[in-house]
Amino acid sequence: MRPKKIDWQSPAVVNLLKNDSIPLKQKAEQLGVSYYYVVRKRRALGLPLFCYGGYGHKSTNQERKARYNAKIKNNKYKPLSL
């Protein structure tokens, strides 16, 4: 998808990029650009990355490990013993 000519400094676009209640994919559809282009423009404005996992901040290794172990437990996965 080729980026359209968008005025990235216009107040409407900046407010859309700053709004964290709208998912990135929906923002990309509204602007008519790719998901990755929206991420790059957010970073260029100095905005933080989106927080995943529902922690309100970037996940720590301990939180990632807990999520991983919970998925294994829920799926009844047992690793192979060597």
Side-chain angles (χ1 to χ4, degrees), residues 8-72:
W8 293 100
Q9 301 304 322
S10 71
V13 174
V14 171
N15 288 337
L16 179 66
L17 292 176
K18 286 183 178 181
N19 188 355
D20 289 339
S21 63
I22 302 172
L24 279 175
K25 290 187 179 185
Q26 189 176 355
K27 289 179 189 182
E29 289 172 4
Q30 288 179 0
L31 292 172
V33 296
S34 73
Y35 169 88
Y36 300 104
Y37 204 70
V38 172
V39 172
R40 280 191 4 213
K41 288 298 181 178
R42 276 182 55 87
R43 294 293 292 164
L45 289 174
L47 298 171
L49 293 173
F50 273 100
C51 304
Y52 295 105
Y55 300 110
H57 59 271
K58 287 190 213 172
S59 302
T60 62
N61 285 341
Q62 185 178 9
E63 291 164 340
R64 287 188 199 102
K65 183 177 179 182
R67 259 197 331 264
Y68 174 77
N69 288 334
K71 284 180 185 178
I72 287 176

